[in-house]
RNA sequence: GGCCCCAUAGUCUAGCGGUCAGGACGUUGCCCUCUCACGGCAAUAACACGGGUUCGAAUCCCGUUGGGGCUGCCA
């Protein structure tokens, strides 16, 4: 049975690049009815944090990339690594190295200045038994077999070719630190072997590590798994994606109003394709995923396309779900007051209901993110909307006749509102409003804008019927009065 | 520096010896229209370069250039 894993180290929030490798591993396993598991590689005791681990797990959950087994923690398996390390030293596939870090540093500098490779000089490679002193601080190094024609390699499933390097290119790398903690290259091998991982899908920054790992598999008598190295995700500047490029962690996207399926869909198409298809549900991805359709070259992260997918999924989500997700965003949409200051009221949770649902329906095609959607709901969520003079440009209120005409229209509109049945739906409002206008020989084109501005305080909003419906008779009426008030205060 | 990986429009990609080099995002124009969007239609733009192999190369080989990665008692 196929079994894959995602093995992040909890030294940072779950990164977008990590999500893609997790997704690929997940899809590959699920495609063949196999298992996908999570392994926390927390051997870097300095930098690993529980907070990050929690973020990784929460983020994967949010994305629907779930582990089939309880997550394995490397920090709880130090005894295992030690015992395998012992096997290697007794096999003479590894040796104790007593060189101090300072000495190593000197070696390195000297070799570099001589224009040579900064590899371990081999001082402790062939120590006599009497020279050993395990009580002294030491690391354990893997003893790479030397010889001009010796090579080590592996087949990469994505490139469908062998990557082979000369053993002379491979240093006698450390597998066990002085404090008894295994290094990455050692712990991965032990765990992947013991966990029966059949396929390793990971970033191609691990290509050069793989020969080292193959050496360990062989020395321990394990059969190496299949390897598939996926290219990196680059920022717009062509450099490897990092914090410098802005939002790189999943939580940024969650709180920024992205839907998990948009992120998954975007990421799966970064490097993988299925003909000309662009839209994939999780089921679609599982159904069609295969390693041979993964591209070899690196991909540049493109926010525009992610936004396109996000708006696509917003459009196809029911309002109730959208409301829940908006309320779930950690950092709120950050509603600003007239002075551009954020206010406390942004904590307010949106209540579900017919009017809210209708408004959200109207806002769907206008919002690329949920954050944007919530900002556009401001006029609906809060009553303290403000007007400013620039809203009046275009009405030519300096002309007194014009002013009187519009104000009397607004007054007529008040009467119209009062005449509306209390529980009017959008369709009835539309019908009544249109006959109200034509009864006075007005057109929608002439009159929609001033109502929009009065009701929302904005020149841009959803359709006018939806706005009236969402606000209701009472709130709408209040705003008309407030607006008339504003006009007079502003002009006189 | 050494070693490894990669190379189709601005971006993601299809292509796997013979195609008018296809799709998507973006951009531009038009249509729709109460604003803004959505939507519809159309347009724009690519095989990095140089050698081979072949009747024929985006496709195969070599080199150049460019980009990325590794070169830690990080992962």
């Amino acid at each position: 049975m196929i079994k894959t894993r995602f093995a992040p180290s909890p030294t940072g929030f779950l990164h977008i690049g990590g999500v893609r490798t997790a997704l690929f591993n997940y899809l590959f396993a699920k495609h063949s009815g196999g298992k996908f598991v999570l392994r926390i590689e927390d051997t870097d005791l300095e930098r690993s944090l529980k907070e990050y681990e929690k973020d990784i797990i929460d983020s994967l959950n949010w994305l629907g990339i779930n582990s089939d087994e309880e997550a394995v923690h490397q920090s709880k398996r130090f005894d295992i690594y030690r015992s395998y390390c012992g096997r290697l030293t007794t096999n003479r596939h590894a040796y104790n190295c007593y060189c101090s870090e300072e000495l190593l540093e000197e070696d390195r500098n000297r070799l570099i200045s001589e224009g040579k490779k900064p590899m371990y000089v081999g001082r402790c490679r062939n120590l006599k038994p009497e020279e050993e002193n395990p009580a002294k601080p030491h690391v354990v190094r893997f003893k790479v077999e030397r010889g001009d024609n010796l090579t080590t390699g592996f087949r990469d499933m994505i490139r469908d070719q062998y990557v082979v390097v000369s053993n002379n290119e491979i240093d006698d790398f450390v597998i066990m630190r002085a404090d008894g903690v295994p290094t990455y290259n050692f712990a991965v091998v032990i765990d992947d072997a013991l966990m029966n991982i059949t396929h390793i899908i990971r970033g191609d920054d691990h290509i050069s590590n793989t020969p080292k790992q193959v050496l360990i598999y062989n020395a321990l008598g394990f059969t190496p798994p299949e390897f598939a190295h996926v290219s990196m995700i680059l920022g717009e500047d062509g450099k490897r994606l990092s914090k410098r490029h802005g939002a790189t962690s999943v939580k940024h996207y969650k709180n920024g109003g992205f839907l998990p399926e948009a992120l998954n869909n975007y990421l799966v198409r970064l490097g993988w394709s299925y003909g000309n298809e662009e839209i994939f549900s999780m089921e679609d991805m599982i159904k069609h995923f295969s390693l041979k359709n993964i591209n070899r070259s690196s991909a540049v992260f493109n926010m525009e396309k992610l936004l396109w997918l996000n708006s696509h999924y917003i459009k196809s989500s029911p309002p109730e779900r959208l409301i829940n997700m908006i309320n779930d965003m950690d950092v709120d949409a950050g509603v600003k007051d007239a002075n551009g200051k954020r206010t406390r009221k942004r904590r307010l949770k949106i209540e579900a209901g017919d009017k809210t649902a209708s408004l959200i329906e109207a806002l769907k095609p206008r919002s690329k993110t949920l954050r944007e959607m919530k900002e556009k709901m401001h006029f609906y969520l809060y009553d303290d909307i403000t007007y400013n003079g620039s809203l009046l440009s275009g009405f030519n209120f300096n002309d007194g006749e014009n002013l009187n005409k519009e104000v009397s229209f607004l007054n007529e509109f008040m009467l119209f509102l009062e005449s509306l049945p209390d529980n009017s739906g959008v369709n009835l409002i539309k019908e009544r409003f249109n006959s109200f206008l034509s009864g006075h020989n007005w057109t929608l084109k002439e009159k929609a804008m001033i109502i929009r501005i009065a009701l929302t305080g904005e020149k841009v909003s959803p359709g006018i019927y939806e706005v009236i419906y969402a606000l209701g008779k009472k709130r709408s009426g209040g705003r008309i009065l407030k607006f008339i008030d504003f006009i007079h205060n502003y002009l006189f």
Side-chain angles (χ1 to χ4, degrees):
Chain A
M1 184 183 67
I2 284 182
K3 188 173 179 189
T4 63
R5 47 68 163 182
F6 175 53
S9 67
T11 53
F13 297 106
L14 181 58
H15 191 272
I16 225 72
V19 173
R20 190 182 58 159
T21 45
L23 185 61
F24 282 3
N25 275 288
Y26 179 79
L27 298 175
F28 181 72
K30 294 297 151 185
H31 178 79
S32 63
K35 274 190 173 181
F36 165 80
V37 298
L38 181 64
R39 184 172 71 228
I40 304 294
E41 306 221 326
D42 48 359
T43 53
D44 185 336
L45 276 9
E46 304 283 306
R47 298 192 300 147
S48 294
L49 256 40
K50 275 288 170 192
E51 179 197 359
Y52 294 138
E53 182 181 327
K54 183 178 186 306
D55 177 77
I56 289 168
I57 291 169
D58 290 349
S59 296
L60 289 175
N61 267 335
W62 182 69
L63 290 162
I65 302 172
N66 300 311
S67 179
D68 288 315
E69 291 172 6
E70 200 179 334
V72 168
H73 287 75
Q74 290 190 324
S75 60
K76 293 180 182 155
R77 297 162 63 84
F78 287 167
D79 289 346
I80 298 173
Y81 307 124
R82 260 192 285 273
S83 108
Y84 279 93
C85 180
R87 280 214 226 174
L88 287 177
T89 45
T90 56
N91 281 350
R92 304 239 154 249
H93 275 119
Y95 59 90
N96 292 345
C97 172
Y98 300 91
C99 299
S100 69
E101 295 196 54
E102 295 72 36
L103 187 55
L104 259 16
E105 186 61 26
E106 277 176 38
D107 287 343
R108 169 174 292 110
N109 291 337
R110 195 183 62 251
L111 288 168
I112 290 174
S113 68
E114 289 171 2
K116 293 180 184 161
K117 268 181 206 314
M119 286 172 75
Y120 177 58
V121 295
R123 198 175 287 108
C124 304
R125 191 175 153 103
N126 293 303
L127 253 30
K128 298 190 181 70
E130 59 269 27
E131 293 173 304
E132 291 279 359
N133 181 7
K136 258 181 70 180
H138 65 277
V139 299
V140 179
R141 287 182 183 275
F142 189 85
K143 193 173 193 175
V144 179
E145 220 186 320
R146 299 298 166 195
D148 285 344
N149 296 318
L150 285 179
T151 58
T152 303
F154 63 97
R155 192 177 77 90
D156 186 275
M157 292 184 78
I158 288 174
R159 277 150 262 270
D160 194 28
Q161 69 183 38
Y162 284 86
V163 176
V164 179
V165 296
S166 161
N167 278 22
N168 292 336
E169 293 293 333
I170 307 174
D171 202 357
D172 277 3
F173 55 100
V174 173
I175 59 175
M176 198 60 87
R177 298 178 175 91
D179 59 3
V181 175
T183 60
Y184 165 74
N185 280 121
F186 187 54
V188 252
V189 172
I190 303 302
D191 287 334
D192 285 332
L194 263 31
M195 292 166 74
N196 296 312
I197 304 299
T198 59
H199 298 258
I200 294 179
I201 305 169
R202 71 211 325 184
D204 74 1
D205 49 338
H206 286 290
I207 288 183
S208 6
N209 286 322
T210 308
K212 294 178 187 172
Q213 294 166 18
V214 169
L215 252 15
I216 298 175
Y217 278 103
N218 293 152
L220 251 14
F222 292 138
T223 309
E226 300 287 337
F227 294 98
H229 290 96
V230 180
S231 63
M232 307 263 81
I233 299 178
L234 276 25
E236 303 274 358
D237 59 357
K239 301 286 180 196
R240 194 228 275 252
L241 198 64
S242 71
K243 309 104 251 158
R244 292 188 293 108
H245 295 99
T248 51
S249 67
V250 173
K251 67 169 195 175
H252 276 127
Y253 290 92
K254 181 184 179 204
N255 295 328
F258 286 84
L259 309 200
E261 56 267 46
L263 208 49
N264 282 334
N265 196 151
Y266 177 69
L267 258 12
V268 83
R269 282 287 290 103
L270 219 48
W272 176 79
S273 62
Y274 183 71
N276 282 333
E277 302 293 307
E278 292 289 351
I279 304 295
F280 296 91
S281 65
M282 189 59 99
E283 294 67 41
D284 295 333
M285 294 182 208
I286 290 171
K287 188 172 171 192
H288 301 304
F289 190 78
S290 85
L291 293 178
K292 67 171 187 295
N293 287 323
I294 294 183
N295 206 19
R296 284 178 282 275
S297 51
S298 49
V300 174
F301 187 88
N302 182 247
M303 183 61 82
E304 299 301 323
K305 188 158 181 185
L306 207 209
L307 284 168
W308 172 70
L309 281 163
N310 203 48
S311 59
H312 168 83
Y313 284 107
I314 284 178
K315 276 178 277 188
S316 44
S317 290
E320 296 70 27
R321 174 167 187 250
L322 265 14
I323 292 171
N324 288 337
M325 296 196 81
I326 291 172
N327 287 337
D328 230 29
M329 293 191 293
D330 249 6
V331 180
D332 221 307
V335 175
K336 294 175 183 172
D337 65 20
N339 301 318
K341 295 236 173 86
R342 287 173 185 239
T343 57
R344 283 183 165 221
K345 63 192 178 184
R346 65 203 178 86
R347 297 260 166 88
L348 183 134
K349 294 290 183 201
I350 299 174
E351 303 281 341
D354 288 350
K355 294 189 168 182
T356 309
S358 155
L359 214 217
I360 285 186
E361 213 53 70
L363 249 17
K364 276 184 185 180
R366 291 167 234 261
S367 311
K368 294 194 168 184
T369 65
L370 296 178
R371 186 180 202 115
E372 198 183 331
M373 180 175 275
K374 184 164 186 189
E375 278 160 9
K376 288 181 155 68
M377 290 177 81
H378 186 195
F379 79 93
Y380 170 73
L381 297 175
Y382 306 109
D383 271 319
D384 61 346
I385 63 160
T386 55
Y387 303 108
N388 64 64
S390 68
L391 295 172
L392 268 32
S393 66
F395 290 111
N396 192 18
F397 283 158
N398 293 325
D399 180 333
E401 201 175 319
N402 247 327
L403 176 62
N404 290 336
K405 251 169 57 186
E406 292 305 330
V407 171
S408 66
F409 164 69
L410 289 171
N411 284 318
E412 290 290 339
F413 181 71
M414 288 292 292
L415 295 177
F416 158 76
L417 282 175
E418 278 158 31
S419 77
L420 272 179
D422 278 338
N423 53 358
S424 303
V426 173
N427 284 334
L428 185 62
I429 290 174
K430 176 177 181 179
E431 200 178 293
R432 295 289 181 95
F433 187 59
N434 284 337
S435 56
F436 157 70
L437 289 176
S438 56
H440 289 84
N441 263 325
W442 289 316
T443 63
L444 189 61
K445 204 173 184 63
E446 291 171 331
K447 300 301 178 193
M449 188 51 85
I450 196 160
I451 304 246
R452 163 173 295 111
I453 290 171
L455 297 186
T456 68
E458 307 276 351
K459 283 181 168 176
V460 172
S461 83
I464 209 69
Y465 317 121
E466 282 86 356
V467 172
I468 295 172
Y469 173 65
L471 251 20
K473 289 170 62 169
K474 211 171 155 199
R475 292 176 83 195
S476 295
R479 291 194 184 181
I480 298 294
L481 293 177
K482 182 173 173 175
F483 184 60
I484 293 175
D485 223 40
F486 165 75
I487 295 176
H488 284 106
N489 286 329
Y490 183 76
L491 294 178
F492 308 109

